[in-house]
Amino acid sequence: MNKKQFIDALSAKLEQQNIRYPKWELTSIIEPALEVIMETLSHGEDIQLNKFGHFSIKYKKGSPYYNINTKRKEIAPDKKIIQFTPHKGFHFDDPSGTSTSDSNFEDNGK
C-alpha cells in the first residue's frame, strides 16, 4: 500500500463512521505526522504508539562478503535499521481462514 492508497483507505474508513474529510486535508495531516516519525527516529529516539507498537532504531554490524569485482573479502558498513515491534494485542486478520497457532513457537524447555 502506498501513501495515496493509505489516504483513500483512511477516507473510506472515516466515511463509514459518517466523518467526511477531503482527501487533500487528510494528506495535510498524514504527511507532517510521517515527517515527525522520521525526524524522531533520525534523532535516535524511540516511538511508542499505544495499542499499535514500538518503533526503534537497531544497529546492525557490518558483515563480511566476497566482492566478485575485486576478488577480495570485504566488510559491509554498519547500518541503522528501523525495527517495529507490534503491541501484544496487535493481530493480523487472516484472509485465507487458516491460522497458525502460537503454540508451535512456544519453548517447552527442551
Short mmCIF file of all heavy atoms in Angstrom, two decimals, residues 5 13 17 27 30 32-33 35 55 60 63 77 79 82 84 86 88 95-96 106 109:
data_model
loop_
_atom_site.label_atom_id
_atom_site.label_comp_id
_atom_site.label_asym_id
_atom_site.label_seq_id
_atom_site.Cartn_x
_atom_site.Cartn_y
_atom_site.Cartn_z
N GLN A 5 -2.95 5.20 -1.59
CA GLN A 5 -3.88 4.14 -1.23
C GLN A 5 -4.22 4.19 0.26
O GLN A 5 -5.35 3.93 0.66
CB GLN A 5 -3.27 2.78 -1.57
CG GLN A 5 -3.13 2.54 -3.06
CD GLN A 5 -2.27 1.33 -3.38
OE1 GLN A 5 -1.38 0.96 -2.62
NE2 GLN A 5 -2.52 0.72 -4.53
N LYS A 13 -12.67 4.62 5.52
CA LYS A 13 -12.92 4.21 6.91
C LYS A 13 -13.66 5.32 7.67
O LYS A 13 -14.60 5.05 8.42
CB LYS A 13 -11.59 3.88 7.59
CG LYS A 13 -11.72 3.25 8.93
CD LYS A 13 -12.14 1.82 8.78
CE LYS A 13 -11.62 0.98 9.91
NZ LYS A 13 -12.08 -0.38 9.81
N GLN A 17 -17.87 5.94 9.27
CA GLN A 17 -18.24 6.49 10.58
C GLN A 17 -18.93 7.85 10.43
O GLN A 17 -19.07 8.59 11.39
CB GLN A 17 -16.99 6.63 11.45
CG GLN A 17 -16.28 5.34 11.72
CD GLN A 17 -14.96 5.54 12.43
OE1 GLN A 17 -14.59 6.64 12.83
NE2 GLN A 17 -14.22 4.46 12.59
N THR A 27 -4.28 14.37 3.58
CA THR A 27 -2.88 14.40 3.17
C THR A 27 -2.11 15.43 3.99
O THR A 27 -0.98 15.17 4.41
CB THR A 27 -2.78 14.75 1.67
OG1 THR A 27 -3.52 13.78 0.93
CG2 THR A 27 -1.34 14.74 1.20
N ILE A 30 -1.54 13.64 7.37
CA ILE A 30 -0.70 12.44 7.33
C ILE A 30 0.76 12.77 7.06
O ILE A 30 1.65 12.25 7.73
CB ILE A 30 -1.22 11.45 6.25
CG1 ILE A 30 -2.63 11.00 6.56
CG2 ILE A 30 -0.28 10.28 6.07
CD1 ILE A 30 -2.77 10.06 7.68
N PRO A 32 2.73 15.53 7.60
CA PRO A 32 3.51 16.01 8.75
C PRO A 32 3.68 14.95 9.84
O PRO A 32 4.72 14.89 10.50
CB PRO A 32 2.71 17.20 9.27
CG PRO A 32 1.87 17.63 8.13
CD PRO A 32 1.59 16.40 7.34
N ALA A 33 2.67 14.09 10.02
CA ALA A 33 2.79 13.03 11.03
C ALA A 33 3.91 12.06 10.65
O ALA A 33 4.71 11.67 11.51
CB ALA A 33 1.46 12.27 11.16
N GLU A 35 6.47 12.82 8.78
CA GLU A 35 7.73 13.57 8.93
C GLU A 35 8.20 13.59 10.38
O GLU A 35 9.39 13.45 10.65
CB GLU A 35 7.55 15.00 8.41
CG GLU A 35 7.48 15.09 6.90
CD GLU A 35 7.20 16.50 6.41
OE1 GLU A 35 7.36 17.46 7.19
OE2 GLU A 35 6.83 16.63 5.24
N PHE A 55 8.41 1.69 17.54
CA PHE A 55 9.42 1.87 16.52
C PHE A 55 10.73 2.21 17.21
O PHE A 55 10.77 3.05 18.11
CB PHE A 55 9.07 3.02 15.57
CG PHE A 55 7.89 2.77 14.70
CD1 PHE A 55 6.62 3.18 15.09
CD2 PHE A 55 8.03 2.14 13.48
CE1 PHE A 55 5.53 2.97 14.28
CE2 PHE A 55 6.94 1.91 12.66
CZ PHE A 55 5.69 2.33 13.06
N LYS A 60 22.94 -2.58 13.12
CA LYS A 60 23.37 -3.86 12.57
C LYS A 60 24.84 -3.74 12.17
O LYS A 60 25.21 -2.88 11.37
CB LYS A 60 22.52 -4.23 11.35
CG LYS A 60 22.86 -5.59 10.79
CD LYS A 60 21.93 -5.95 9.66
CE LYS A 60 22.33 -7.31 9.10
NZ LYS A 60 21.50 -7.68 7.96
N SER A 63 28.66 -7.04 7.93
CA SER A 63 29.00 -8.45 7.80
C SER A 63 29.98 -8.65 6.64
O SER A 63 30.00 -7.89 5.68
CB SER A 63 27.73 -9.27 7.55
OG SER A 63 27.08 -8.79 6.40
N PRO A 77 29.51 -1.93 5.49
CA PRO A 77 29.44 -0.93 6.56
C PRO A 77 28.30 -1.22 7.53
O PRO A 77 27.32 -1.89 7.18
CB PRO A 77 29.21 0.38 5.82
CG PRO A 77 28.72 0.00 4.47
CD PRO A 77 29.22 -1.37 4.19
N LYS A 79 24.97 -0.56 9.69
CA LYS A 79 23.71 0.04 9.24
C LYS A 79 22.82 0.37 10.43
O LYS A 79 22.92 -0.25 11.49
CB LYS A 79 22.91 -0.94 8.37
CG LYS A 79 23.54 -1.36 7.11
CD LYS A 79 22.58 -2.30 6.39
CE LYS A 79 23.24 -3.01 5.24
NZ LYS A 79 22.31 -3.93 4.60
N ILE A 82 15.32 0.47 10.96
CA ILE A 82 14.12 0.76 11.74
C ILE A 82 13.47 -0.57 12.09
O ILE A 82 13.21 -1.40 11.22
CB ILE A 82 13.13 1.63 10.95
CG1 ILE A 82 13.76 2.99 10.66
CG2 ILE A 82 11.83 1.80 11.73
CD1 ILE A 82 12.93 3.86 9.77
N PHE A 84 10.23 -2.44 14.00
CA PHE A 84 8.88 -2.29 14.52
C PHE A 84 8.54 -3.51 15.34
O PHE A 84 8.67 -4.64 14.89
CB PHE A 84 7.87 -2.13 13.38
CG PHE A 84 6.45 -2.10 13.85
CD1 PHE A 84 5.95 -0.99 14.52
CD2 PHE A 84 5.61 -3.17 13.65
CE1 PHE A 84 4.65 -0.95 14.96
CE2 PHE A 84 4.30 -3.15 14.08
CZ PHE A 84 3.82 -2.03 14.74
N PRO A 86 5.29 -4.99 17.22
CA PRO A 86 3.85 -4.76 17.42
C PRO A 86 3.45 -4.89 18.88
O PRO A 86 4.08 -5.61 19.65
CB PRO A 86 3.19 -5.84 16.57
CG PRO A 86 4.24 -6.82 16.24
CD PRO A 86 5.57 -6.19 16.46
N LYS A 88 1.33 -6.20 22.01
CA LYS A 88 0.96 -7.60 22.26
C LYS A 88 -0.48 -7.91 21.85
O LYS A 88 -0.81 -9.04 21.54
CB LYS A 88 1.19 -7.97 23.72
CG LYS A 88 0.35 -7.22 24.70
CD LYS A 88 0.68 -7.62 26.12
CE LYS A 88 -0.13 -6.80 27.11
NZ LYS A 88 0.20 -7.10 28.48
N PRO A 95 -6.91 -13.64 5.92
CA PRO A 95 -7.94 -13.76 4.89
C PRO A 95 -8.14 -15.17 4.38
O PRO A 95 -9.19 -15.51 3.86
CB PRO A 95 -7.45 -12.84 3.77
CG PRO A 95 -5.99 -12.72 3.98
CD PRO A 95 -5.75 -12.90 5.46
N SER A 96 -7.13 -16.04 4.52
CA SER A 96 -7.25 -17.40 3.99
C SER A 96 -8.07 -18.30 4.90
O SER A 96 -8.48 -19.38 4.49
CB SER A 96 -5.86 -18.01 3.78
OG SER A 96 -5.21 -18.16 5.03
N GLU A 106 6.20 -22.03 20.93
CA GLU A 106 6.48 -21.98 22.35
C GLU A 106 7.71 -22.82 22.68
O GLU A 106 7.96 -23.86 22.08
CB GLU A 106 5.30 -22.51 23.16
CG GLU A 106 4.10 -21.56 23.14
CD GLU A 106 2.94 -22.11 23.94
OE1 GLU A 106 3.08 -23.19 24.56
OE2 GLU A 106 1.88 -21.48 23.92
N GLY A 109 11.00 -25.88 27.04
CA GLY A 109 12.06 -26.15 27.99
C GLY A 109 12.98 -27.27 27.57
O GLY A 109 13.71 -27.81 28.37
#
